[in-house]
Amino acid sequence: MKVVVVGAGYAGTLAANRLAKKVKSAEITVINPRPDFVERVRLHQQLAGTATVATPLASMLRDGITSRVGTVDKIGDGSVTLDDGTGVDFDYAFLAVGSTVQPMPGTVPVGTWEGAEPARVALAALPAGSTVTVIGGGSTGIETAAEVAEARPDLRVRIVGASVARDFSHRAYQRVRSGLERLKVDIVDDGVTEVADGVMHLRSGAAFASDLTLWAIVSGVPDLAARSGLQVDTEGRALVDEYLRSVDDERIFVVGDCAAVPGARFACALAAPQAAHAANTLARLIEGRRPEPYSLRYVARAVTLGRKDAVGQFTRLDDSLRRTCFTGRTAAVVKELASRGGKYAARTGTGG
Ligand SMILES: Cc1cc2nc3c(=O)[nH]c(=O)nc-3n(C[C@H](O)[C@H](O)[C@H](O)COP(=O)(O)OP(=O)(O)OC[C@H]3O[C@@H](n4cnc5c(N)ncnc54)[C@H](O)[C@@H]3O)c2cc1C
C-alpha cells in the first residue's frame, strides 16, 4: 500500500511516523520543500537568535520512510505531481501543507521559514538605537516583539495591532501587556494601513519611522487544495468529513492548519492530534475496523514573553476563555516543555 504525505511539519511528520509504526506494509513517501523539519513554533526565536529551528528530516522520520525534497503542485486521482514535473502514485495521501503568511509590502514575514531567515539576517545587521516594529497583536506578534526586545535591548521595539493581546481573558491580557512593557516594548493599539519608505502609516492617521518592520500575522493556507479542485472554505482550507478525509476524495486525509475542521484555529496543539487521529483511522480501515470520528478539544493557550516569562491561559474544550491563567517562570517552563513536546510527538508519532 502506497502512502504519500505532503508537507513535513508537525502534522505530516507525526502522521508518517505513526502510520509506519501501525501499518508495517505501508510504503510511505514524505514530500517537503526542504530537507529539514522546521519547528515553526520557535520561528520568533530563530529570528532573534535564541534558537535554531531546523532539524534534518532524516533524523525525524522512522527507518523505511522515504523522503523527497520538492513542492507538490497538484494532488488528486491517486497521484501527486511535483514542481519538477515528476509524479508519485498513492493509495492514500495525507495533505499537511500548513498555513502561510501574506505580508504587507515593506514588511518581512515571521511565520514561515522562508520569511524568518531574511528577518534574522536583517535584525542582526541593525545597529544599536534602531527601531523594530512588529505588526500583529496576536500570539505570534507578542512572542516576536518580546523575544526581540529581550535579545536586543539596544533596539527600540514596538508592537502594533488592532488590540494587542485581545485573545486573552482580562487578567491574562493585563499580564501580557505588563510583561511586554517590562521588556520596554511600546504597545500601539491601532491598525496599519501602509508601510512605505521605512514609514508606517496607521488607521488613526499617526505615522512612525521603522528601520525593520516584521509581519507577524499567520493567515491563509497554500492554495494546493483549491488548485487541485478540492472543495475549500473561505480561507482555502480543504473541507473534511468527520474522519478528516477530503469531502471530495476519501483517499486524501487532510490534517493540521490546512484542514477546515469546524472550530479549529491554526495551532500546533491541534495539528498533532489531528495527524494522530487520521493515521489511526487509516490503520483501522486497513484492518477492517470502524473508524472513529475526530473531535476537537482545546485545553489552554500560552505566549512566551522572552525566555523567562510567559502567560498561560486555560480554555474550555471549545476554546472559550476561562478566567484562570498562570504566569512567570512556571508558565515559561510549561511553554518550553510544550514546544519540545510538539517536536517529540512528531518524531515518535505519539500523542493525540
Ligand atoms: C512564531 C510562531 C509561534 C507559534 N506558536 C504556537 C504555539 O505556541 N502553540 C500552537 O499550538 N501553535 C503555534 N503556532 C502555530 C503552529 O506553528 C502551526 O499551527 C503548526 O506549525 C501547524 O502544523 P502543520 O503541520 O499543519 O503545518 P507546518 O508546521 O506549517 O508544516 C507544513 C509543511 O508543509 C510544507 N509545504 C507547504 N506547501 C507544500 C507543498 N505544496 N508541497 C510540499 N510541502 C509543502 C511546508 O513547507 C511545511 O514544511 C505558532 C506559529 C508561529 C509562526
Side-chain angles (χ1 to χ4, degrees):
M1 186 190 66
K2 290 184 178 159
V3 179
V4 168
V5 178
V6 185
Y10 294 98
T13 305
L14 194 155
N17 284 324
R18 193 166 184 115
L19 197 64
K21 251 196 311 196
K22 290 195 161 249
V23 184
K24 302 287 179 218
S25 62
E27 284 174 39
I28 304 170
T29 304
V30 175
I31 303 168
N32 197 54
R34 69 196 75 77
D36 295 313
F37 169 86
V38 168
E39 275 182 271
R40 202 169 168 206
V41 302
R42 292 192 196 274
L43 282 177
H44 58 296
Q45 290 185 252
Q46 167 82 15
L47 82 89
T50 58
T52 50
V53 303
T55 304
L57 200 46
S59 69
M60 293 289 293
L61 295 173
R62 284 174 79 93
D63 288 348
I65 297 176
T66 305
S67 64
R68 273 186 70 169
V69 174
T71 300
V72 170
D73 269 347
K74 191 168 186 295
I75 180 166
D77 298 330
S79 75
V80 294
T81 311
L82 277 73
D83 51 351
D84 63 3
T86 59
V88 183
D89 293 341
F90 63 77
D91 298 301
Y92 293 97
F94 287 75
L95 185 57
V97 292
S99 50
T100 185
V101 293
Q102 289 152 18
M104 187 178 271
T107 69
V108 187
V110 173
T112 59
W113 170 256
E114 291 73 18
E117 255 310 277
R120 183 184 65 77
V121 172
L123 183 70
L126 282 183
S130 304
T131 299
V132 176
T133 308
V134 178
I135 300 178
S139 296
T140 303
I142 293 164
E143 292 197 329
T144 302
E147 199 77 25
V148 171
E150 188 174 84
R152 290 288 308 271
D154 58 320
L155 301 177
R156 181 172 179 201
V157 181
R158 180 191 295 131
I159 181 168
V160 182
S163 177
V164 175
R166 71 171 166 203
D167 297 336
F168 290 86
S169 66
H170 187 62
R171 195 175 146 227
Y173 163 89
Q174 287 180 318
R175 183 56 179 76
V176 169
R177 293 174 69 107
S178 66
L180 287 169
E181 281 159 6
R182 184 183 55 77
L183 291 166
K184 300 196 169 40
V185 175
D186 294 334
I187 302 173
V188 180
D189 293 305
D190 204 341
V192 179
T193 54
E194 189 188 23
V195 179
D197 302 324
V199 179
M200 171 178 303
H201 299 270
L202 302 181
R203 212 164 277 154
S204 62
F208 297 116
S210 178
D211 298 299
L212 173 64
T213 305
L214 301 172
W215 183 263
I217 300 170
V218 175
S219 59
V221 302
D223 65 355
L224 175 59
R227 222 173 340 113
S228 302
L230 302 179
Q231 289 180 68
V232 298
D233 68 4
T234 49
E235 281 190 287
R237 304 193 291 181
L239 301 187
V240 291
D241 65 14
E242 59 190 327
Y243 306 113
L244 302 176
R245 298 176 299 193
S246 158
V247 294
D248 302 292
D249 188 336
E250 290 193 348
R251 293 167 298 179
I252 302 176
F253 289 87
V254 189
V255 286
D257 286 358
C258 65
V261 175
R265 55 182 164 78
F266 294 148
C268 174
L270 297 183
Q274 286 175 15
H277 189 89
N280 288 351
T281 299
L282 179 51
R284 290 175 85 99
L285 288 170
I286 290 166
E287 291 163 7
R289 296 163 62 204
R290 269 163 63 102
E292 289 174 0
Y294 169 76
S295 73
L296 181 73
R297 268 181 243 109
Y298 290 95
V299 180
R301 59 178 71 165
V303 280
T304 52
L305 297 164
R307 293 296 86 212
K308 299 185 263 320
D309 191 13
V311 176
Q313 158 87 65
F314 288 108
T315 58
R316 298 186 187 83
L317 297 182
D318 66 356
D319 205 29
S320 58
L321 304 177
R322 291 185 186 278
R323 283 170 60 184
T324 37
C325 63
F326 53 110
T327 60
R329 211 171 261 275
T330 308
V333 170
V334 170
K335 181 78 200 288
E336 173 59 25
L337 291 175
S339 299
R340 287 186 197 184
K343 182 179 179 187
Y344 177 82
R347 183 166 56 75
T348 55
T350 50

